[in-house]
Amino acid sequence: MTERAFEVHENEWIILKDGTRLAARIWMPEDTEADPVPAVLEYLPYRKRNGTAPRDESTYPVFAAAGIAGVRVDIRGSGESDGVIDGEYTERELSDACEVIDWIATQPWSNGSVGMMGISWGGFNCLQVAALKPPALKAVISIASSVDRYNDDIHYKDGCHLSAQLSWAATMLAYQSRSPDPEIVGEDWRALWLERLEGEPFMMEEWLTHQRRDAFWKHGSIGEDFAGFPVPALVISGWADGYRNTPFKAVEGMPGKAKALVGPWIHKYPHFAWPKPRADFHGEAIRWWNRWLRGEPNGAEDTPQMRAFILDGPKPARWRDRDPGFWVAKQDWSTPETRVLGIDGDGRLSDTPAASAHPLTLRSPLDTGTGSGEWFTLKPDAEMAGDQRGDDMGSLVFDTAALAEEILLLGRASVSLTLSSDAPLANLCARLVDLHPDGTATRIAFGVLNLAHRDGNEHPTPLTPGKATDIALTLDACGYRLAPGHRLRLSLSSAYWPTILPPPYDATLTIEPASLRLALPLLGDHKRIEVAEPETENPLPVYEPLAPGNATREIRRNLTTGTTEHRISEDTGLTRHPGNGLVAGETQEEVWSIRDGDPLSATGRIERTCIIRRDDVEAKTVSTCALSCTAEDWMIEARVEAFENGEPIFDKTFAQTIPRDMM
């Protein structure tokens, strides 16, 4: 296709039925009067002006040159749009999106067909909006998203409380506290800023009142009705990200609609993600849009249901630039065949488990898990899982003999076993680990389970202390090659901190080794393929640096007090956008702490500072969030302070005590 010239509309307003103005930035191909074009919407609360601008500017000009308009909209209450945000994936947010799609489809430059895409929040809401069936929405591309908001987002995981929930609440409180850009909003910018500061929620207050998978989490979870999903969906994720299960659930739940692509990546668009190899997202997307928004017969519907990068024994590193491995395709995805291992008489993982074995006890140090990395990874450094030997010291481990032949995995492993607990509440974590011949231990996959949720996430029930109970735990998806000479390890722990927070009891579990079964998802029949990498090594624009940034992460252990701290310090520095001139920067200080033997000592505290500057105006917010607990309650606190040119103009605090619900 011949490239088309285009122009960027920096300040477009979309007026909703209730009069609310949503701010949009549109990349518009020329000559649309004679040749109307399809459009792709990305609809986010992350500020198109200074939040997602780099990635927007890496993609939408390419779309526009291919004759596809790009429409980037700040949702109500964010960026320069009117109003105050009311939560995450709310009915109002999704209803507004349907109005935006209708607006796009009825513009004179539009051919009437709209696509929707995004990563994370935008990946979620494009699926959720599609499920509402707006007539003009013809296809979606969803990256790093979820079809099950309870189990595959940043809040809970099989009944376990993710520490990332506080991190995310702190992020959203900080992001929504930022002022709009005076250049766009005009003289009303200060009034809109104060309205948001006064009205924005501390979202964790709502999230923490729903500790089981109730109607709150079912809303927006398209897995509740896969059969009703109406449009083709390209679903993308990365092994280094927390959203790795969604492509598998999507193609299993709606095989006639979904296509999956899974790379080695962190939580980024695949054309600039690490670890490499990257994927030519622009080429993939344009082919997808041309097929479903233009009707171009390019064969996109014949794309294999599953394309995945099989990791070939990567080692943990301070920076993972490129992972070894290879791409495979399965034209038709189905539940994988499994290889089932148990524990033999020597205590090894084996194809020939023993008939009986002595019970084993498990009571992990409460800081077991410091090698887990972040659930939500944005850099291929210590945010990714590290060498697992430290965490294995606090775990029960079962190894195979050195492998005589390779094992190729793709899908979700599962563990079943019989255990008893001396407490009514306890957590269990299972990890698959690749033991390299030199002793390095690479995490392949992990899964966690609040044992009160053993029979489901909607109606948890406590354990009966001392009673033997059958447990089934499903690990996250993986794609991995275990090479000959390596060993496979199964590691079991009763803690995985700081990824998950402990229950009120420091429980001891008793496990019957003879009952343990590990089901490995085998790759099976497949085809090796090539996935094109982007032509540009550094596709993101570089903005003018005004002040340098830095980041540090460390684990501190006090042997005298038995306290472990996980500390994160990040400073983005200050940059100026070369086009609109807006200066922006952020800092973050995050500390998690726990004392061994005392699960009620678990605390988290996060402080974030956000600054924007425009001409003679500096708007700064400082948000502080904290979490602590008793045996009965979670205690959360937050504060937002705002400053204009260094002078305080706003100060608000939040505080809630919320009963623990078998967690």
Side-chain angles (χ1 to χ4, degrees):
M1 180 179 292
T2 302
E3 287 197 359
R4 294 174 69 162
F6 65 91
E7 58 186 19
V8 184
H9 299 182
E10 292 285 353
N11 187 21
E12 188 82 40
W13 295 104
I14 299 174
I15 312 300
L16 302 181
K17 294 175 183 176
D18 66 0
T20 298
R21 301 181 309 164
L22 300 186
R25 191 181 188 196
I26 301 177
W27 288 259
M28 182 67 67
E30 290 187 351
D31 301 323
T32 57
E33 297 85 356
D35 184 11
V37 296
V40 173
L41 167 66
E42 193 169 2
Y43 174 68
L44 296 169
Y46 299 148
R47 300 172 64 93
K48 60 181 174 52
R49 193 70 164 168
N50 67 302
T52 64
R55 76 185 195 210
D56 297 343
E57 291 163 10
S58 79
T59 293
Y60 288 111
V62 180
F63 285 6
I68 301 166
V71 184
R72 171 64 181 85
V73 176
D74 289 335
I75 72 170
R76 186 193 300 244
S78 68
E80 282 63 56
S81 293
D82 291 347
V84 178
I85 198 168
D86 65 342
E88 188 181 51
Y89 320 124
T90 65
E91 291 184 3
R92 190 182 72 183
E93 173 190 334
L94 304 183
S95 175
D96 287 353
C98 291
E99 283 198 52
V100 171
I101 289 168
D102 182 65
W103 179 90
I104 294 170
T106 56
Q107 297 306 296
W109 47 262
S110 170
N111 74 352
S113 293
V114 180
M116 196 171 177
M117 77 172 195
I119 184 171
S120 202
W121 193 302
F124 275 67
N125 68 21
C126 74
L127 293 174
Q128 295 164 359
V129 171
L132 298 177
K133 301 181 175 65
L137 184 61
K138 306 300 184 184
V140 298
I141 299 178
S142 179
I143 306 166
S145 64
S146 175
V147 297
D148 179 352
R149 291 182 56 215
Y150 183 81
N151 281 308
D152 288 313
D153 194 11
I154 205 163
H155 308 290
Y156 304 104
K157 191 172 183 66
D158 270 328
C160 296
H161 188 179
L162 292 171
S163 65
Q165 175 157 246
L166 179 67
S167 303
W168 188 237
T171 298
M172 287 308 298
L173 190 66
Y175 280 7
Q176 297 312 120
S177 299
R178 293 177 292 186
S179 83
D181 186 350
E183 182 177 82
I184 290 180
V185 177
E187 62 184 15
D188 292 334
W189 74 272
R190 187 179 294 100
L192 178 55
W193 187 23
L194 289 170
E195 178 189 10
R196 289 185 185 168
L197 288 166
E198 184 61 43
E200 70 168 326
F202 180 39
M203 294 186 186
M204 194 165 181
E205 291 181 326
E206 183 172 46
W207 300 335
L208 204 52
T209 60
H210 299 276
Q211 295 170 47
R212 56 182 73 187
R213 193 176 184 276
D214 58 13
F216 177 81
W217 300 110
K218 292 177 183 179
H219 163 76
S221 294
I222 69 162
E224 292 294 302
D225 182 22
F226 275 136
F229 193 82
V231 299
L234 177 58
V235 185
I236 301 173
S237 191
W239 297 130
D241 190 21
Y243 294 96
R244 60 186 72 85
N245 294 326
T246 302
F248 294 84
K249 291 184 176 182
V251 295
E252 289 167 3
M254 42 188 188
K257 298 289 185 182
K259 307 288 186 180
L261 177 66
V262 190
W265 311 305
I266 56 172
H267 192 82
K268 297 287 185 182
Y269 271 81
H271 62 297
F272 58 85
W274 280 278
K276 301 169 186 172
R278 294 167 172 168
D280 177 18
F281 173 73
H282 295 155
E284 291 272 350
I286 290 170
R287 181 170 180 254
W288 191 255
W289 301 135
N290 281 340
R291 174 66 186 91
W292 303 115
L293 307 186
R294 276 200 173 95
E296 180 180 292
N298 59 22
E301 67 273 22
D302 299 322
T303 301
Q305 282 186 336
M306 176 64 66
R307 289 175 293 162
F309 188 78
I310 304 299
L311 296 167
D312 193 358
K315 290 188 175 182
R318 300 180 76 176
W319 182 269
R320 295 261 290 271
D321 185 76
R322 178 176 286 267
D323 277 351
F326 49 91
W327 288 98
V328 301
K330 294 177 79 73
Q331 188 65 37
D332 297 301
W333 175 260
S334 59
T335 302
E337 293 184 8
T338 59
R339 178 177 176 182
V340 179
L341 305 179
I343 309 302
D344 67 15
D346 296 322
R348 285 181 170 176
L349 278 178
S350 170
D351 293 299
T352 56
S356 63
H358 295 296
L360 299 172
T361 59
L362 174 61
R363 180 173 172 267
S364 301
L366 290 178
D367 66 355
T368 301
T370 54
S372 64
E374 294 291 325
W375 190 89
F376 183 93
T377 52
L378 293 173
K379 296 186 292 297
D381 54 12
E383 293 192 19
M384 296 177 67
D387 195 307
Q388 298 294 288
R389 284 176 284 191
D391 289 343
D392 284 347
M393 292 175 64
S395 307
L396 281 177
V397 297
F398 306 96
D399 301 345
T400 64
L403 299 176
E405 298 179 346
E406 69 179 8
I407 299 177
L408 293 170
L409 305 176
L410 183 62
R412 304 187 70 184
S414 62
V415 174
S416 61
L417 51 81
T418 301
L419 59 74
S420 60
S421 170
D422 66 354
L425 298 176
N427 290 337
L428 180 66
C429 174
R431 288 176 288 121
L432 290 186
V433 178
D434 176 8
L435 294 179
H436 298 251
D438 66 0
T440 305
T442 300
R443 193 184 75 188
I444 300 171
F446 82 98
V448 295
L449 176 65
N450 175 345
L451 295 175
H453 287 239
R454 62 196 178 276
D455 296 321
N457 303 126
E458 193 167 359
H459 302 292
T461 56
L463 296 162
T464 301
K467 179 182 178 181
T469 305
D470 294 334
I471 300 296
L473 186 159
T474 303
L475 284 70
D476 282 353
C478 65
Y480 203 92
R481 175 181 182 263
L482 285 146
H486 290 226
R487 288 175 290 153
L488 174 65
R489 168 172 287 176
L490 172 65
S491 299
L492 301 177
S493 61
S494 57
Y496 206 48
W497 178 92
T499 297
I500 61 173
L501 301 180
Y505 307 94
D506 190 11
T508 297
L509 305 178
T510 301
I511 293 173
E512 299 289 342
S515 70
L516 192 150
R517 295 293 182 269
L518 169 63
L520 298 173
L522 300 180
L523 172 60
D525 292 338
H526 65 280
K527 180 180 180 181
R528 288 215 184 188
I529 60 169
E530 296 294 329
V531 170
E533 295 195 53
E535 295 181 0
T536 303
E537 175 69 16
N538 298 303
L540 294 177
V542 177
Y543 297 161
E544 178 187 356
L546 301 180
N550 61 77
T552 60
R553 305 171 66 84
E554 59 180 333
I555 301 293
R556 296 181 182 178
R557 288 186 170 89
N558 187 317
L559 299 181
T560 301
T561 64
T563 299
T564 300
E565 288 186 344
H566 181 216
R567 305 180 69 92
I568 302 168
S569 178
E570 295 182 321
D571 183 345
T572 66
L574 291 174
T575 59
R576 177 185 285 116
H577 190 284
N580 62 48
L582 191 66
V583 174
E586 301 173 22
T587 65
Q588 174 185 342
E589 299 290 335
E590 182 169 351
V591 180
W592 292 91
S593 177
I594 199 165
R595 186 168 59 252
D596 195 37
D598 183 6
L600 303 183
S601 68
T603 63
R605 186 179 187 279
I606 303 167
E607 180 178 298
R608 297 185 69 111
T609 300
C610 298
I611 294 173
I612 70 164
R613 293 177 186 163
R614 163 72 67 195
D615 301 326
D616 58 349
V617 174
E618 178 187 271
K620 181 175 82 170
T621 58
V622 179
S623 57
T624 307
C625 303
L627 169 71
S628 59
C629 63
T630 66
E632 295 79 26
D633 298 310
W634 300 108
M635 285 89 75
I636 54 174
E637 300 177 356
R639 181 182 182 186
V640 178
E641 302 169 88
F643 305 85
E644 183 180 347
N645 294 334
E647 295 296 320
I649 64 166
F650 183 86
D651 192 339
K652 181 179 179 179
T653 59
F654 306 79
Q656 282 280 357
T657 297
I658 299 172
R660 300 175 79 138
D661 185 6
M662 281 186 278
M663 182 171 287

